[in-house]
Amino acid sequence: MTKPSESAALDAAVEAVHRAGVPGLFAEVRDGDQVWRGAAGVADIATGRPVTAGMRHRVGSITKTFTAAAVLQQVESGQVGLDAPISRYLPRLLPGERGDAVTVRMLLNHTSGLAEYLPYIYPSLKAFPALAETRPQSLDDHRFTRFDSLELIETGVTAPAVGAPGGTPGVYSNTNYLLLGRLLEQVTGMTAEQYITRHVIERAGLRDTGLPDGPDVDGPHSRLYEAWFGMIDPPRDYSVYDMSWVGPAASLISTVADLNRFYGMLLAGEIVSPSSLAQMQRTVPVISQEGRTIDYGLGLHPMEGPGQGTFWGHGGTVWGGGTLAMAGADGRRQLAVAVNLQRWNRLDASGKPQPHPVDDALATLHRVALHG
């Protein structure tokens, strides 16, 4: 950033998030060709090793934008119809009338009505979204579990539907994006990971981004501390974790610099065509995993600022890690931020997450980063 005052404000905002209770975080803000990077706190509570802005990080559901872009590329090439029924491509995975009713678009924008498989494969989370009745043991049980995506899809498909195909508000579900991964495999003859790597990650020139095939994060990275609403105290490190439980829905590893590069290029029409990007920015109301109703497009969601226009991007969480990447509609002003603590809010007597100083500090960081 050219203005020292802006850099100082960003430094202070990052430091405030750390002081509010996040062990470590790092961020990159871009404004055209001006770049600020900052970090505060530690990557390892035990050793005091500091976080740095260049660390690789599990970015969770930000993966969905990459998967959606890959699907849109196949729409552009005529291999996939955006409003075609998924039964045309995957008749065995979503059989019968439902396969004929659910379209590719409905998977992309979470209006398929398909349930989230997660509470079914993590037994201690089966009461989700009733947080007070969940327990974190399954997180340990599944640290090295190698899940089969077909079994995960079947779990989501056979679970009670959460809505009618195409109905709104939609309900956010990783089942949708595992099906999109299978769709990519069906129409390209490559695994979803291979296709996304070759045609999205490499096309964007991302050097530190990839879909892992083992439980480790290669290269410099932080430990990831999960608190599960105060039930894991002190928070436990889940940085070593087999991510096959989310695959093309949420397993990506990246850096804040790569994420800003990716979203900048996406919004400039350089990953998918401008008309595909316009489709990605057509939103519907969707109930998020936190139970809030958000506007959601095709692997993208907007963030409005006071008088500052709309920013587009995605957030992501994994066990212990969180990330947000947002870019202005013209791609010039951008923020990517990564934190190494998740679910820091404790629950009140009624089981609702209580406000925490971290929430306000992060909101301030987002505001300073996006709106100056």
Side-chain angles (χ1 to χ4, degrees):
M1 296 289 156
T2 42
K3 290 181 282 196
S5 60
E6 204 169 329
S7 292
L10 287 164
D11 289 337
V14 166
E15 188 60 46
V17 177
H18 169 54
R19 279 205 309 276
V22 173
L25 72 152
F26 44 100
E28 182 188 84
V29 176
R30 294 188 184 188
D31 195 345
D33 44 17
Q34 302 295 320
V35 180
W36 169 92
R37 290 190 188 101
V42 297
D44 187 327
I45 290 168
T47 66
R49 172 171 62 94
V51 282
T52 62
M55 284 181 161
R56 300 184 80 226
H57 195 72
R58 297 195 189 280
V59 300
S61 286
I62 285 174
T63 313
K64 290 183 173 70
T65 312
F66 286 71
T67 300
V71 171
L72 267 293
Q73 288 176 356
Q74 289 301 300
V75 171
E76 288 170 24
S77 72
Q79 295 299 304
V80 170
L82 191 51
D83 294 299
I86 194 64
S87 60
R88 181 181 297 176
Y89 311 101
L90 302 170
R92 290 201 296 280
L93 296 190
L94 202 59
E97 286 178 16
R98 192 149 61 152
D100 296 338
V102 171
T103 65
V104 174
R105 184 191 299 273
M106 291 172 200
L107 296 175
L108 286 160
N109 68 10
H110 299 291
T111 58
S112 69
L114 292 168
E116 173 63 69
Y117 59 81
L118 195 59
Y120 297 91
I121 64 162
Y122 281 81
S124 71
L125 306 185
K126 69 173 177 290
F128 189 88
L131 298 174
E133 294 164 42
T134 62
R135 293 294 177 267
Q137 293 88 314
S138 313
L139 276 58
D140 292 310
D141 298 342
H142 284 322
R143 193 184 280 269
F144 297 109
T145 303
R146 196 77 188 152
F147 285 103
D148 180 295
S149 70
L150 292 175
E151 289 173 18
L152 298 176
I153 289 167
E154 189 181 2
T155 300
V157 166
T158 54
V162 293
T168 55
V171 178
Y172 191 94
S173 169
N174 286 300
T175 306
N176 294 316
Y177 274 74
L178 292 197
L179 275 161
L180 291 167
R182 286 288 165 173
L183 169 66
L184 283 170
E185 190 171 324
Q186 182 66 33
V187 299
T188 68
M190 301 181 222
T191 67
E193 287 76 11
Q194 287 168 332
Y195 182 87
I196 292 164
T197 299
R198 197 168 301 170
H199 296 278
V200 181
I201 295 170
E202 290 176 4
R203 183 170 185 166
L206 310 183
R207 302 244 171 95
D208 294 306
T209 299
L211 292 152
D213 52 11
D216 297 298
V217 180
D218 295 332
H221 62 281
S222 174
R223 296 188 182 277
L224 300 175
Y225 296 102
E226 179 60 55
W228 196 260
F229 307 102
M231 295 179 214
I232 306 176
D233 190 13
R236 193 173 303 140
D237 169 27
Y238 288 104
S239 55
V240 176
Y241 211 94
D242 189 303
M243 297 301 288
S244 58
W245 63 281
V246 279
S251 67
L252 195 75
I253 294 168
S254 192
T255 61
V256 289
D258 270 6
L259 291 177
N260 278 340
R261 178 179 173 88
F262 168 70
Y263 280 104
M265 291 178 70
L266 180 71
L267 289 166
E270 293 172 29
I271 308 293
V272 299
S273 71
S275 61
S276 291
L277 178 63
Q279 294 288 345
M280 292 178 79
Q281 292 174 316
R282 277 179 58 185
T283 64
V284 292
V286 168
I287 299 168
S288 74
Q289 281 178 320
E290 292 77 40
R292 292 196 311 271
T293 301
I294 59 172
D295 293 322
Y296 197 93
L298 309 183
L300 275 181
H301 61 79
M303 228 168 111
E304 310 290 336
Q308 299 281 344
T310 304
F311 288 80
W312 291 92
H314 214 290
T317 63
V318 296
W319 310 132
T323 316
L324 178 71
M326 282 285 157
D330 60 2
R332 274 185 64 82
R333 183 84 185 195
Q334 291 184 274
L335 160 71
V337 57
V339 298
N340 66 3
L341 176 71
Q342 272 306 291
R343 286 160 282 267
W344 49 77
N345 306 80
R346 290 175 180 266
L347 304 178
D348 64 18
S350 70
K352 284 198 174 60
Q354 295 176 299
H356 190 287
V358 167
D359 303 321
D360 290 338
L362 273 174
T364 299
L365 171 59
H366 298 160
R367 191 175 65 246
V368 170
L370 295 177
H371 309 300

